[in-house]
């Protein structure tokens, strides 16, 4: 075959797993044979509409088989897939469409109004709507019904662009990270080596596929191995628990809040979750009470660290190390290397905090049409500057201190909010927390805690300070605390600290 990229994966997998279930959404199921046939139809239909190698094809929608069909069909043609975040405003989406130069936009019916507004004054020349329920009448299904299902084989190399994924844009304009077919392939191999993904894996995807973790750590490795994806359109704890029992789910990924809400749901103790074998938690460390709730059901957590620019895996922490290396993001993935350096790019001794660098075949080589941003993001040798602070312990395990830009400097002392947040999360009354810096005449900056409390709980600033005084240095303790109903988050569940700084980062907030 001429195509050595991701676009041919399902065509190749069809030969080995034709009758195996590939994708499930509610009562709709596709075998690998059916999925491959539909991908071929989308590929041929797009080709008839002028899509060639290098054309950008965008998709706006949540977890739906059409997302995967469009992505693989684009890859089959050597086109570049542009998944869009449904949580963005039409203006933000329009920016991504214009920045990427996307000519085709495929939209779920639930996002039609949003998509049409975004497509105005953009390069989009083909606009197609997909029914929310797979297979129902729509522009998309009409396109498929009129297309041949023969397989197209276009020359695609690992070096060719596969996906443009826009960063969450917590600061400044979002940048398009260009993930090549090689990046996606090597990331998937890292997952297969470092986690227990098999052809029998049934992975429930509750995070949106337009987010790199759900796509790169969940969907692609499972499909490469011939397992089954169960797509969840939204996160409601009781629905997730029901899906685990119904489909005999073996693998589940999420952020700490995801698992906390599952363990607190009224159906938690009555749901059969005995099929679960692997839990993966990202975003931040698992709170002890959540860890214990799942350990009581015989389950442990794997974890890891990564970012869009690493496709996304950089490190992994297997469940057997969770308690031994509490708070760690784990060891570098098998085909990936990690360093910690000072401000001059020199390696630091074990235990010293510095900027985390990542290198490997899963690391992107460029941002879309951003030569300056690309040049500023690497040290010599292809070492990507993560912008995150951390250290390696004596065994080579990575510990994340914080985002470089989130670090608070108070009276000349560096304060890493993640350390303070982890200590605060030990309080039973706290559901989630973010620590930001507030201007201070004497110290330059001092910490402030922004808290979400569990229902029916209360917490005074005095109680917070008393708790922290035994756990962190005095200068790290927040001088003030603000209680809110919820914290602003990105699609991946990460807290948008830039938004919090705008709202609460002033002295009299």
């Amino acid at each position: 075959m001429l195509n050595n990229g991701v676009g041919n994966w399902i065509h190749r997998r069809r030969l080995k797993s034709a009758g195996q279930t590939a994708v499930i959404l509610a009562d709709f199921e596709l075998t690998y044979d059916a999925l491959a046939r539909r991908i071929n139809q989308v590929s041929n239909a797009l080709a008839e509409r002028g899509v060639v190698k290098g054309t950008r094809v965008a998709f706006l929608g949540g977890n739906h088989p059409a997302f995967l069909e469009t992505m693989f069909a684009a890859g089959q043609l050597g086109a570049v897939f542009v998944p869009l975040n449904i949580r963005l405003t039409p203006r933000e989406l329009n920016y991504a469409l214009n920045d990427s130069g996307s000519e085709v936009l495929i939209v779920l019916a639930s996002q039609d109004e949003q998509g049409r507004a975004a497509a105005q004054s953009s390069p989009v020349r083909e606009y197609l709507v997909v029914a929310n329920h797979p297979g129902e009448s729509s522009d998309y299904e009409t396109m498929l019904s009129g297309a041949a299902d023969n397989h197209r084989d276009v020359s695609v190399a690992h070096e060719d662009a596969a996906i443009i994924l826009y960063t969450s844009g917590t600061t400044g304009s979002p940048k398009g990270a260009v993930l090549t077919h090689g990046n996606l392939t090597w990331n998937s191999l890292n997952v297969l080596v470092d986690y227990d993904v098999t052809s029998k894996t049934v992975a429930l995807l509750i995070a949106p596929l337009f987010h790199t973790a759900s796509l790169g750590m969940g969907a692609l490795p499972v499909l490469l191995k011939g397992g089954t994806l169960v797509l969840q359109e939204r996160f409601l704890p009781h629905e997730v628990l029901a899906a685990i029992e119904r489909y005999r789910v073996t693998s589940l990924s999420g952020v700490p809040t995801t698992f906390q809400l599952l363990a607190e749901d009224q159906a938690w103790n009555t749901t059969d979750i005995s099929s679960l074998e692997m839990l993966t938690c990202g975003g931040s460390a698992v709170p002890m009470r959540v860890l214990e709730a799942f350990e009581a059901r015989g389950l442990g957590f794997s974890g890891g660290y990564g970012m869009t620019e690493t496709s996304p895996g950089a490190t992994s922490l297997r469940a057997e190390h969770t308690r031994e290396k509490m708070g760690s993001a784990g060891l570098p993935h098998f085909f990936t290397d990690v360093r910690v350096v000072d401000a001059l790019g020199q390696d630091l001794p074990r235990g010293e905090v510095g900027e985390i660098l990542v290198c490997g075949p899963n690391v992107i080589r460029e941002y879309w049409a951003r030569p300056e941003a690309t040049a500023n993001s690497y040290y010599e040798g292809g070492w990507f500057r993560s912008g995150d602070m951390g250290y390696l312990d004596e065994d080579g395990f990575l510990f994340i201190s914080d985002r470089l830009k989130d670090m608070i400097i108070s009276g000349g002392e560096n304060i890493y909010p993640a350390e303070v947040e982890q200590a605060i999360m030990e309080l039973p009354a706290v559901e989630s927390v973010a620590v930001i810096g507030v201007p201070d005449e004497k110290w330059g900056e001092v910490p402030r805690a922004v808290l979400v409390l569990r229902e029916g709980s209360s917490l005074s600033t005095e109680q917070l300070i008393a708790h922290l005084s035994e756990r962190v240095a005095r200068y790290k303790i927040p001088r003030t605390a603000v209680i809110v109903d919820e914290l602003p988050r990105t699609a991946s569940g990460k807290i948008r600290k830039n938004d919090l700084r705008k709202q609460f980062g002033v002295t009299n907030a």
Side-chain angles (χ1 to χ4, degrees):
M1 290 184 189
L2 297 174
N3 192 328
N4 291 310
V6 173
N8 255 6
W9 282 11
I10 305 303
H11 177 72
R12 294 175 185 272
R13 177 48 64 187
R14 180 186 201 179
L15 298 175
K16 300 175 181 289
S17 310
Q20 170 76 16
T21 302
V23 181
I24 299 172
L25 177 63
D27 295 321
F28 182 84
E29 297 189 15
L30 287 172
T31 62
Y32 277 94
D33 182 65
L35 179 60
R37 185 168 59 252
R38 285 177 65 84
I39 290 168
N40 287 345
Q41 288 175 307
V42 177
S43 172
N44 282 308
L46 291 177
E48 291 171 2
R49 286 160 173 77
V51 174
V52 296
K53 187 173 183 178
T55 303
R56 273 76 71 200
V57 177
F59 187 95
L60 179 64
N63 290 352
H64 192 284
F67 180 104
L68 298 167
E69 293 164 1
T70 304
M71 179 187 67
F72 286 115
Q76 202 176 95
L77 296 171
V80 183
F81 184 59
V82 184
L84 299 172
N85 185 338
I86 62 174
R87 298 177 182 175
L88 299 181
T89 65
R91 181 176 180 177
E92 291 171 313
L93 293 169
N94 178 263
Y95 169 87
L97 292 172
N98 277 287
D99 187 72
S100 63
S102 294
E103 297 180 27
V104 177
L105 177 57
I106 298 176
V107 179
L108 276 188
S110 52
Q111 271 72 51
D112 187 23
E113 182 179 351
Q114 186 183 16
R116 291 187 188 278
Q120 297 297 315
S121 302
S122 78
V124 172
R125 56 179 175 78
E126 291 284 344
Y127 184 96
L128 298 160
V129 178
V130 182
N132 292 330
H133 190 277
E136 289 185 353
S137 177
S138 66
D139 298 344
Y140 182 81
E141 291 298 329
T142 299
M143 177 182 77
L144 264 67
S145 65
D149 63 1
N150 61 291
H151 175 254
R152 288 176 173 265
D153 189 22
V154 174
S155 179
V156 176
H158 274 197
E159 295 74 26
D160 292 332
I163 295 176
I164 299 175
L165 265 173
Y166 280 85
T167 58
S168 56
T170 53
T171 57
S173 297
K175 299 187 295 291
V178 181
L179 279 63
T180 66
H181 290 270
N183 292 153
L184 296 173
T185 299
W186 283 102
N187 181 80
S188 293
L189 291 175
N190 273 337
V191 174
L192 296 185
V193 171
D194 289 336
Y195 295 110
D196 297 323
V197 178
T198 74
S199 61
K200 302 298 183 183
T201 293
V202 180
L204 179 61
L205 298 186
I206 55 180
L209 284 166
F210 54 73
H211 173 58
T212 181
S214 184
L215 181 62
M217 305 302 286
L220 290 178
V222 171
L223 292 174
L224 177 60
K225 194 64 178 176
T228 300
L229 298 180
V230 179
L231 304 182
Q232 198 80 6
E233 296 173 279
R234 56 187 178 178
F235 175 69
L236 291 175
H238 67 279
E239 290 185 357
V240 170
L241 290 170
I244 292 170
E245 183 172 291
R246 176 181 179 183
Y247 302 111
R248 304 298 295 161
V249 169
T250 66
S251 175
L252 180 66
S253 298
V255 295
T257 304
T258 302
F259 295 105
Q260 177 178 316
L261 292 174
L262 290 177
E264 291 175 351
D265 191 83
Q266 61 182 3
W268 169 250
N269 290 319
T270 57
T271 301
D272 180 3
I273 61 170
S274 60
S275 60
L276 282 175
E277 299 171 357
M278 183 170 67
L279 302 177
T280 307
C281 187
S284 60
V286 182
M288 184 59 68
R289 63 174 175 268
V290 178
L291 180 65
E292 291 174 346
F294 279 84
E295 285 180 342
R297 303 287 298 267
L299 294 165
F301 285 92
S302 296
Y305 162 75
M307 63 209 80
T308 300
E309 290 86 348
T310 57
S311 306
T315 68
S316 62
L317 181 73
R318 293 183 65 86
E320 56 263 33
H321 296 301
T322 299
R323 280 190 172 269
E324 173 196 358
K325 297 291 185 179
M326 183 66 69
S328 172
L331 297 167
H333 274 299
F334 194 84
F335 296 107
T336 304
D337 295 307
V338 172
R339 294 165 57 200
V340 174
V341 301
D342 61 20
L344 298 177
Q346 301 301 308
D347 287 311
L348 287 169
R350 296 290 173 93
E352 288 196 22
V353 173
E355 184 177 8
I356 300 163
L357 307 185
V358 186
C359 188
N362 57 308
V363 178
I364 68 165
R365 64 171 185 248
E366 64 177 332
Y367 291 107
W368 181 259
R370 294 285 192 282
E372 185 175 348
T374 299
N376 293 334
S377 297
Y378 298 85
Y379 278 118
E380 186 177 352
W383 287 93
F384 179 77
R385 301 187 61 183
S386 71
D388 290 326
M389 303 293 285
Y391 65 91
L392 297 170
D393 74 2
E394 65 278 4
D395 299 315
F397 283 76
L398 179 67
F399 287 77
I400 310 299
S401 298
D402 225 312
R403 288 290 296 170
L404 183 59
K405 62 181 175 59
D406 288 338
M407 186 176 70
I408 301 167
I409 303 177
S410 184
E413 297 281 1
N414 293 342
I415 301 172
Y416 302 104
E419 176 191 4
V420 184
E421 290 162 355
Q422 190 168 349
I424 293 173
M425 282 301 296
E426 294 175 13
L427 284 163
V430 178
E431 181 176 296
S432 55
V433 61
V435 173
I436 59 174
V438 180
D440 183 83
E441 288 186 7
K442 183 177 181 180
W443 302 109
E445 279 186 303
V446 293
R448 165 172 286 160
V450 185
L451 304 152
V452 177
L453 300 182
R454 292 156 65 89
E455 187 175 353
S457 298
S458 63
L459 181 70
S460 67
T461 302
E462 291 73 21
Q463 289 172 316
L464 176 64
I465 292 173
H467 169 79
L468 291 176
S469 63
E470 300 176 358
R471 291 165 173 80
V472 298
R474 180 177 293 275
Y475 70 87
K476 299 178 182 179
I477 297 176
R479 304 292 181 86
T480 55
V482 180
I483 297 174
V484 297
D485 292 333
E486 62 180 357
L487 297 175
R489 297 180 182 271
T490 67
S492 64
K494 292 181 180 179
I495 296 169
R496 298 177 67 96
K497 287 196 173 178
N498 198 45
D499 290 355
L500 291 177
R501 280 190 285 268
K502 289 178 182 177
Q503 186 173 2
F504 301 111
V506 294
T507 306
N508 60 353

